[in-house]
Structure formats: structure tokens, C-alpha cells
Amino acid sequence: MNIFLTGGTGYIGRHLLAELASQHQIYALVRQENRLRTVINQLVPDQQSNIVPH
């Protein structure tokens, strides 16, 4: 399933990314892509490929 998540670097958003990325393709809307990269780098490698910044 594809999921569009707004606020991917916020408090709730980063926790949702960690939970959902293992099973779904996530399109994350963020203001600053570098902040999302920091969050993505903290995840397990198989989850990292499922997150696409927008």
C-alpha cells in the first residue's frame, strides 16, 4: 500500500515512519528534506528504501 504522510519529521510523524515503513511505501511531505534524511538514517536499512521525500 502507498501512504502519503504529512509532517514526516514531527514527533508523531517520525514514529509513524518507523512503524509503517517496514510494510508500506511511504511518501513523506516535509519542509526540510535534510531533517527527513536524519530520521531515515536512524531506521533499519530495509525500512529506509520505502520512504520517498516530497
Side-chain angles (χ1 to χ4, degrees):
M1 178 184 336
N2 293 328
I3 298 173
F4 182 74
L5 176 67
T6 60
T9 58
Y11 179 76
I12 295 172
R14 70 179 66 206
H15 292 291
L16 283 173
L17 281 176
E19 290 294 320
L20 297 173
S22 61
Q23 300 175 6
H24 306 286
Q25 180 76 26
I26 308 295
Y27 296 92
L29 180 66
V30 294
R31 288 186 214 162
Q32 298 175 348
E33 189 173 335
N34 61 341
R35 289 182 64 190
L36 180 63
R37 294 288 172 202
T38 303
V39 172
I40 290 173
N41 289 336
Q42 296 172 356
L43 298 175
V44 179
D46 65 329
Q47 294 175 329
Q48 294 176 0
S49 62
N50 290 340
I51 301 172
V52 179
H54 280 310

